């Protein structure tokens, strides 16, 4: 089974790229982030023509997540409040969380807030959102041993996940507080599938559009596939496919694919 995650930075803008990639890489489940479209306007038919089922949770112009699966998914839920009904509903105003089961695996597709800049109001929102995510995962883990948690985390876990022209401690997506929040989540029982197979640095999933960052490989590894222990043992490979980043007017992210 192959599960891919990809921040497409607008599904309508990048539709041709995504359909082309999916035709060449017929993964079992494709998890999309930043779809940037309300559910009624999501371009469903090109995916359905390829034989995929769609589960979407979107909003106009911002955010948005989707699960695109070769077989129907079970128990699909959206947002935090579907699992944590007691939390404040504003945590789901931004469409960032969708989950569903394929066989015995719960897939959790996430688009973590960027945070804008350290110390800003959006930064505090990001840290609060990650705290809610930890509660959400703890609740799910009580009944679900096999979880694949993937998406755009907007956090580089380690300095080797960032090009060397950045000062990590003073940069959004690599500050001490963000990394600690991610570490607190992972200690619930998740491991980084990519690092099971690739130990060295220099491998990235996002490159800024500016300063010829992709050509110069000035990137960040912020898109992740995290697995609970039994799934981690079942993982056969985890790769970053940079091919779509080479296309004309691409997403600034590349797909990350785990094979179980």
């Amino acid at each position: 089974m192959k599960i891919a995650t990809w921040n497409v930075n607008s599904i309508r803008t990048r539709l041709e790229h995504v359909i082309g990639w999916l035709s060449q890489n017929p993964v079992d489940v494709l998890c999309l982030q930043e779809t940037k479209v309300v559910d009624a306007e999501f371009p469903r038919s090109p995916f359905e023509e390829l034989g995929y089922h769609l589960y979407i949770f979107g909003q106009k112009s911002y955010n948005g997540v989707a699960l695109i699966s070769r077989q129907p998914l079970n128990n699909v839920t959206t947002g935090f409040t579907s699992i944590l009904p007691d939390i404040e509903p504003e945590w789901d105003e931004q469409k960032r969380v969708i989950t569903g089961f394929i066989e015995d695996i719960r897939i959790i597709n996430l688009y973590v807030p960027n945070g804008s800049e350290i110390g800003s109001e959006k930064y505090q929102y990001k840290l609060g959102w990650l705290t809610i995510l930890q509660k959400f995962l703890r609740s799910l883990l009580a009944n679900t041993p096999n979880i694949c948690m993937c998406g755009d985390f907007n956090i580089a876990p380690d300095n080797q996940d960032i090009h060397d022209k950045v000062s990590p401690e003073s940069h959004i997506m690599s500050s001490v507080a963000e990394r600690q929040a991610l570490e607190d989540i992972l200690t619930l029982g998740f491991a980084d599938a990519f690092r099971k197979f690739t130990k060295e640095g220099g491998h990235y999933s996002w490159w800024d559009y500016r300063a010829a960052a992709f050509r110069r490989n000035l990137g960040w590894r912020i898109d992740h596939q995290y697995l609970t222990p039994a799934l981690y043992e079942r993982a056969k490979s985890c790769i970053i496919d940079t091919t779509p980043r080479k296309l004309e007017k691409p997403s600034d992210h590349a797909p990350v694919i785990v094979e179980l």
Side-chain angles (χ1 to χ4, degrees), residues 48-64:
E48 293 170 341
E49 289 168 6
L50 287 179
Y52 282 89
H53 302 266
L54 282 78
Y55 307 87
I56 53 183
F57 188 45
Q59 65 186 91
K60 183 179 179 179
S61 303
Y62 299 98
N63 309 316

PDB file of all heavy atoms in Angstrom, residues 48-64:
ATOM      1  N   GLU A  48     -12.358  11.057 -10.185  1.00  0.00           N
ATOM      2  CA  GLU A  48     -13.304   9.952 -10.308  1.00  0.00           C
ATOM      3  C   GLU A  48     -13.095   9.181 -11.601  1.00  0.00           C
ATOM      4  O   GLU A  48     -13.255   7.954 -11.641  1.00  0.00           O
ATOM      5  CB  GLU A  48     -14.727  10.485 -10.197  1.00  0.00           C
ATOM      6  CG  GLU A  48     -15.043  11.027  -8.818  1.00  0.00           C
ATOM      7  CD  GLU A  48     -16.353  11.787  -8.742  1.00  0.00           C
ATOM      8  OE1 GLU A  48     -16.867  12.213  -9.797  1.00  0.00           O
ATOM      9  OE2 GLU A  48     -16.861  11.966  -7.620  1.00  0.00           O
ATOM     10  N   GLU A  49     -12.703   9.879 -12.653  1.00  0.00           N
ATOM     11  CA  GLU A  49     -12.418   9.213 -13.921  1.00  0.00           C
ATOM     12  C   GLU A  49     -11.214   8.284 -13.820  1.00  0.00           C
ATOM     13  O   GLU A  49     -11.096   7.316 -14.586  1.00  0.00           O
ATOM     14  CB  GLU A  49     -12.205  10.246 -15.022  1.00  0.00           C
ATOM     15  CG  GLU A  49     -13.490  10.960 -15.422  1.00  0.00           C
ATOM     16  CD  GLU A  49     -13.249  12.181 -16.290  1.00  0.00           C
ATOM     17  OE1 GLU A  49     -12.076  12.417 -16.677  1.00  0.00           O
ATOM     18  OE2 GLU A  49     -14.222  12.914 -16.565  1.00  0.00           O
ATOM     19  N   LEU A  50     -10.328   8.576 -12.881  1.00  0.00           N
ATOM     20  CA  LEU A  50      -9.179   7.687 -12.630  1.00  0.00           C
ATOM     21  C   LEU A  50      -9.537   6.552 -11.666  1.00  0.00           C
ATOM     22  O   LEU A  50      -8.694   5.704 -11.384  1.00  0.00           O
ATOM     23  CB  LEU A  50      -8.007   8.487 -12.043  1.00  0.00           C
ATOM     24  CG  LEU A  50      -7.248   9.417 -12.986  1.00  0.00           C
ATOM     25  CD1 LEU A  50      -6.148  10.147 -12.227  1.00  0.00           C
ATOM     26  CD2 LEU A  50      -6.656   8.653 -14.166  1.00  0.00           C
ATOM     27  N   GLY A  51     -10.768   6.559 -11.157  1.00  0.00           N
ATOM     28  CA  GLY A  51     -11.223   5.488 -10.283  1.00  0.00           C
ATOM     29  C   GLY A  51     -11.047   5.761  -8.809  1.00  0.00           C
ATOM     30  O   GLY A  51     -11.072   4.826  -7.993  1.00  0.00           O
ATOM     31  N   TYR A  52     -10.910   7.038  -8.434  1.00  0.00           N
ATOM     32  CA  TYR A  52     -10.687   7.394  -7.038  1.00  0.00           C
ATOM     33  C   TYR A  52     -11.967   7.900  -6.367  1.00  0.00           C
ATOM     34  O   TYR A  52     -12.853   8.464  -7.011  1.00  0.00           O
ATOM     35  CB  TYR A  52      -9.588   8.456  -6.926  1.00  0.00           C
ATOM     36  CG  TYR A  52      -8.195   7.898  -7.075  1.00  0.00           C
ATOM     37  CD1 TYR A  52      -7.609   7.791  -8.338  1.00  0.00           C
ATOM     38  CD2 TYR A  52      -7.470   7.456  -5.976  1.00  0.00           C
ATOM     39  CE1 TYR A  52      -6.336   7.264  -8.493  1.00  0.00           C
ATOM     40  CE2 TYR A  52      -6.198   6.930  -6.114  1.00  0.00           C
ATOM     41  CZ  TYR A  52      -5.637   6.838  -7.374  1.00  0.00           C
ATOM     42  OH  TYR A  52      -4.369   6.304  -7.529  1.00  0.00           O
ATOM     43  N   HIS A  53     -12.017   7.702  -5.043  1.00  0.00           N
ATOM     44  CA  HIS A  53     -13.075   8.231  -4.197  1.00  0.00           C
ATOM     45  C   HIS A  53     -12.532   9.461  -3.473  1.00  0.00           C
ATOM     46  O   HIS A  53     -11.367   9.481  -3.052  1.00  0.00           O
ATOM     47  CB  HIS A  53     -13.514   7.182  -3.173  1.00  0.00           C
ATOM     48  CG  HIS A  53     -13.991   5.907  -3.813  1.00  0.00           C
ATOM     49  ND1 HIS A  53     -15.303   5.649  -4.102  1.00  0.00           N
ATOM     50  CD2 HIS A  53     -13.292   4.802  -4.213  1.00  0.00           C
ATOM     51  CE1 HIS A  53     -15.413   4.458  -4.651  1.00  0.00           C
ATOM     52  NE2 HIS A  53     -14.213   3.929  -4.737  1.00  0.00           N
ATOM     53  N   LEU A  54     -13.386  10.486  -3.317  1.00  0.00           N
ATOM     54  CA  LEU A  54     -12.935  11.749  -2.745  1.00  0.00           C
ATOM     55  C   LEU A  54     -13.647  12.054  -1.442  1.00  0.00           C
ATOM     56  O   LEU A  54     -14.864  11.849  -1.318  1.00  0.00           O
ATOM     57  CB  LEU A  54     -13.193  12.907  -3.720  1.00  0.00           C
ATOM     58  CG  LEU A  54     -12.218  13.061  -4.882  1.00  0.00           C
ATOM     59  CD1 LEU A  54     -12.522  12.058  -5.978  1.00  0.00           C
ATOM     60  CD2 LEU A  54     -12.270  14.469  -5.456  1.00  0.00           C
ATOM     61  N   TYR A  55     -12.867  12.577  -0.489  1.00  0.00           N
ATOM     62  CA  TYR A  55     -13.381  13.032   0.806  1.00  0.00           C
ATOM     63  C   TYR A  55     -12.709  14.368   1.065  1.00  0.00           C
ATOM     64  O   TYR A  55     -11.476  14.442   1.161  1.00  0.00           O
ATOM     65  CB  TYR A  55     -13.063  12.017   1.907  1.00  0.00           C
ATOM     66  CG  TYR A  55     -13.524  10.614   1.542  1.00  0.00           C
ATOM     67  CD1 TYR A  55     -12.691   9.762   0.810  1.00  0.00           C
ATOM     68  CD2 TYR A  55     -14.795  10.174   1.890  1.00  0.00           C
ATOM     69  CE1 TYR A  55     -13.110   8.486   0.448  1.00  0.00           C
ATOM     70  CE2 TYR A  55     -15.227   8.896   1.527  1.00  0.00           C
ATOM     71  CZ  TYR A  55     -14.378   8.063   0.807  1.00  0.00           C
ATOM     72  OH  TYR A  55     -14.817   6.814   0.443  1.00  0.00           O
ATOM     73  N   ILE A  56     -13.494  15.435   1.158  1.00  0.00           N
ATOM     74  CA  ILE A  56     -12.922  16.773   1.140  1.00  0.00           C
ATOM     75  C   ILE A  56     -13.441  17.626   2.291  1.00  0.00           C
ATOM     76  O   ILE A  56     -14.539  17.418   2.801  1.00  0.00           O
ATOM     77  CB  ILE A  56     -13.191  17.467  -0.210  1.00  0.00           C
ATOM     78  CG1 ILE A  56     -14.692  17.440  -0.551  1.00  0.00           C
ATOM     79  CG2 ILE A  56     -12.388  16.806  -1.314  1.00  0.00           C
ATOM     80  CD1 ILE A  56     -15.030  18.031  -1.896  1.00  0.00           C
ATOM     81  N   PHE A  57     -12.614  18.568   2.695  1.00  0.00           N
ATOM     82  CA  PHE A  57     -12.936  19.488   3.789  1.00  0.00           C
ATOM     83  C   PHE A  57     -12.245  20.801   3.451  1.00  0.00           C
ATOM     84  O   PHE A  57     -11.071  20.998   3.750  1.00  0.00           O
ATOM     85  CB  PHE A  57     -12.419  18.900   5.107  1.00  0.00           C
ATOM     86  CG  PHE A  57     -12.825  19.641   6.352  1.00  0.00           C
ATOM     87  CD1 PHE A  57     -14.119  20.074   6.557  1.00  0.00           C
ATOM     88  CD2 PHE A  57     -11.891  19.867   7.360  1.00  0.00           C
ATOM     89  CE1 PHE A  57     -14.487  20.731   7.723  1.00  0.00           C
ATOM     90  CE2 PHE A  57     -12.247  20.509   8.538  1.00  0.00           C
ATOM     91  CZ  PHE A  57     -13.546  20.945   8.711  1.00  0.00           C
ATOM     92  N   GLY A  58     -12.980  21.688   2.770  1.00  0.00           N
ATOM     93  CA  GLY A  58     -12.325  22.858   2.223  1.00  0.00           C
ATOM     94  C   GLY A  58     -12.981  24.170   2.586  1.00  0.00           C
ATOM     95  O   GLY A  58     -14.036  24.221   3.212  1.00  0.00           O
ATOM     96  N   GLN A  59     -12.324  25.240   2.161  1.00  0.00           N
ATOM     97  CA  GLN A  59     -12.843  26.577   2.348  1.00  0.00           C
ATOM     98  C   GLN A  59     -12.301  27.460   1.236  1.00  0.00           C
ATOM     99  O   GLN A  59     -11.344  27.088   0.542  1.00  0.00           O
ATOM    100  CB  GLN A  59     -12.461  27.148   3.716  1.00  0.00           C
ATOM    101  CG  GLN A  59     -10.976  27.377   3.928  1.00  0.00           C
ATOM    102  CD  GLN A  59     -10.633  27.800   5.343  1.00  0.00           C
ATOM    103  OE1 GLN A  59     -10.361  26.970   6.188  1.00  0.00           O
ATOM    104  NE2 GLN A  59     -10.659  29.110   5.589  1.00  0.00           N
ATOM    105  N   LYS A  60     -12.899  28.611   1.063  1.00  0.00           N
ATOM    106  CA  LYS A  60     -12.535  29.495  -0.027  1.00  0.00           C
ATOM    107  C   LYS A  60     -11.164  30.136   0.198  1.00  0.00           C
ATOM    108  O   LYS A  60     -10.909  30.689   1.266  1.00  0.00           O
ATOM    109  CB  LYS A  60     -13.592  30.590  -0.174  1.00  0.00           C
ATOM    110  CG  LYS A  60     -13.360  31.535  -1.330  1.00  0.00           C
ATOM    111  CD  LYS A  60     -14.466  32.568  -1.414  1.00  0.00           C
ATOM    112  CE  LYS A  60     -14.222  33.534  -2.571  1.00  0.00           C
ATOM    113  NZ  LYS A  60     -15.304  34.545  -2.675  1.00  0.00           N
ATOM    114  N   SER A  61     -10.289  30.006  -0.779  1.00  0.00           N
ATOM    115  CA  SER A  61      -9.024  30.755  -0.865  1.00  0.00           C
ATOM    116  C   SER A  61      -7.928  30.316   0.089  1.00  0.00           C
ATOM    117  O   SER A  61      -6.754  30.634  -0.129  1.00  0.00           O
ATOM    118  CB  SER A  61      -9.275  32.255  -0.655  1.00  0.00           C
ATOM    119  OG  SER A  61     -10.205  32.737  -1.595  1.00  0.00           O
ATOM    120  N   TYR A  62      -8.267  29.611   1.169  1.00  0.00           N
ATOM    121  CA  TYR A  62      -7.260  29.254   2.179  1.00  0.00           C
ATOM    122  C   TYR A  62      -7.426  27.800   2.620  1.00  0.00           C
ATOM    123  O   TYR A  62      -8.509  27.225   2.531  1.00  0.00           O
ATOM    124  CB  TYR A  62      -7.391  30.151   3.417  1.00  0.00           C
ATOM    125  CG  TYR A  62      -7.193  31.614   3.154  1.00  0.00           C
ATOM    126  CD1 TYR A  62      -8.286  32.460   2.974  1.00  0.00           C
ATOM    127  CD2 TYR A  62      -5.911  32.159   3.054  1.00  0.00           C
ATOM    128  CE1 TYR A  62      -8.109  33.814   2.724  1.00  0.00           C
ATOM    129  CE2 TYR A  62      -5.721  33.510   2.803  1.00  0.00           C
ATOM    130  CZ  TYR A  62      -6.827  34.334   2.638  1.00  0.00           C
ATOM    131  OH  TYR A  62      -6.640  35.666   2.381  1.00  0.00           O
ATOM    132  N   ASN A  63      -6.322  27.242   3.128  1.00  0.00           N
ATOM    133  CA  ASN A  63      -6.365  25.955   3.824  1.00  0.00           C
ATOM    134  C   ASN A  63      -7.022  24.870   2.965  1.00  0.00           C
ATOM    135  O   ASN A  63      -6.876  24.859   1.769  1.00  0.00           O
ATOM    136  CB  ASN A  63      -7.067  26.114   5.174  1.00  0.00           C
ATOM    137  CG  ASN A  63      -6.479  27.248   5.986  1.00  0.00           C
ATOM    138  OD1 ASN A  63      -5.262  27.387   6.066  1.00  0.00           O
ATOM    139  ND2 ASN A  63      -7.331  28.098   6.554  1.00  0.00           N
ATOM    140  N   GLY A  64      -7.742  23.946   3.590  1.00  0.00           N
ATOM    141  CA  GLY A  64      -8.419  22.875   2.873  1.00  0.00           C
ATOM    142  C   GLY A  64      -7.582  21.611   2.784  1.00  0.00           C
ATOM    143  O   GLY A  64      -6.383  21.643   2.478  1.00  0.00           O
TER     144      GLY A  64
END
